[in-house]
Amino acid sequence: MGKGKFDYWELEQIKKQLEAQEQEMDAFCQEMAEELAARLLRKVVKRTPVGEKPKILRDAPKTVSVKVKGSDGKARKRSFLSKEGAILEKYWSGYMGGTLRRGWTEEKLEKQGGVYTITVINQTSYASYVEFGHRQKPGRYITALGVRGKKAWVPGQFMLTISEKEIQNMAPKLLEKRIQELIKEAMDVK
């Protein structure tokens, strides 16, 4: 075997940079968890339907005019709210859609062992019904909408479920790209 000299200086520098990167790995994992949660939140908010006044009520006449004879015997025109107008006034006055969409939030980042968790939630009382669907009695009059239910099952929108699957499919590529950038930065010896 031959003898020779070998300079370990560059290997020592790489070792030091890798150790520094190892300490920064916790911050990197937190950053990636927050980025994935933010992407999920953007997707689910975009996919969440926004409520609007029922079309049947928007197009219907709001008032009804009738001729009424007064005590003096003269005919006068009087205006009253129509059935649809009364429903609009009672249930839909001041209505502004988007409550469900604005209800999406993310909770604080938690670390349990080596797992980082951020929970995306919607506190709106009817969010689960819109997400997964719900039953209704066909033919039952829905006062707030001014219509009768037609089907026994209203299908869900699955806005969170679909967004979650998209993030799960996209996450490995994103993480791989960011880890490669991190390694490249660590190997960049000066």
Side-chain angles (χ1 to χ4, degrees):
M1 258 200 226
K3 291 184 181 180
K5 290 186 177 183
F6 188 75
D7 187 8
Y8 289 98
W9 179 81
E10 286 185 357
L11 287 176
E12 289 294 324
Q13 290 294 14
I14 290 173
K15 180 182 173 190
K16 287 178 185 176
Q17 286 179 343
L18 286 174
E19 287 171 354
Q21 289 295 332
E22 189 175 321
Q23 293 170 355
E24 293 176 14
M25 198 58 156
D26 189 50
F28 171 78
C29 290
Q30 287 179 5
E31 181 184 320
M32 288 308 303
E34 288 170 354
E35 182 177 341
L36 288 172
R39 286 177 182 242
L40 175 63
L41 197 59
R42 272 195 309 270
K43 284 182 176 287
V44 75
V45 165
K46 187 176 178 182
R47 190 169 270 121
T48 302
V50 176
E52 55 185 49
K53 292 179 185 177
K55 184 171 174 45
I56 193 168
L57 295 177
R58 281 182 289 161
D59 298 342
K62 311 302 182 258
T63 58
V64 177
S65 294
V66 276
K67 289 183 181 179
V68 179
K69 280 190 177 180
S71 58
D72 58 356
K74 292 184 180 179
R76 294 188 180 118
K77 262 191 169 178
R78 299 277 319 252
S79 292
F80 299 98
L81 281 175
S82 66
K83 178 181 175 185
E84 291 82 9
I87 290 171
L88 271 173
E89 189 173 288
K90 181 176 180 181
Y91 294 103
W92 297 95
S93 64
Y95 176 75
M96 184 178 76
T99 303
L100 185 63
R101 185 174 275 188
R102 288 187 304 273
W104 291 107
T105 58
E106 57 184 57
E107 291 184 341
K108 188 180 172 202
L109 175 72
E110 294 178 6
K111 181 182 177 186
Q112 296 173 344
V115 179
Y116 295 87
T117 307
I118 298 178
T119 307
V120 174
I121 59 170
N122 193 321
Q123 296 281 341
T124 311
S125 61
Y126 53 90
S128 63
Y129 299 111
V130 177
E131 173 74 13
F132 301 112
H134 60 89
R135 293 185 304 171
Q136 68 181 9
K137 188 174 181 181
R140 180 178 158 259
Y141 184 72
I142 304 165
T143 311
L145 299 178
V147 295
R148 295 194 176 279
K150 294 186 184 344
K151 299 183 281 184
W153 179 256
V154 176
Q157 298 292 312
F158 300 104
M159 55 256 177
L160 181 62
T161 306
I162 293 170
S163 299
E164 254 184 297
K165 286 180 183 175
E166 287 178 359
I167 291 294
Q168 286 175 353
N169 291 336
M170 181 258 301
K173 293 175 189 169
L174 180 67
L175 288 171
E176 182 180 337
K177 180 182 171 188
R178 296 290 164 85
I179 289 172
Q180 284 178 353
E181 290 171 2
L182 194 67
I183 291 173
K184 185 178 178 183
E185 189 178 300
M187 294 298 177
D188 190 22
V189 179
K190 294 174 177 121

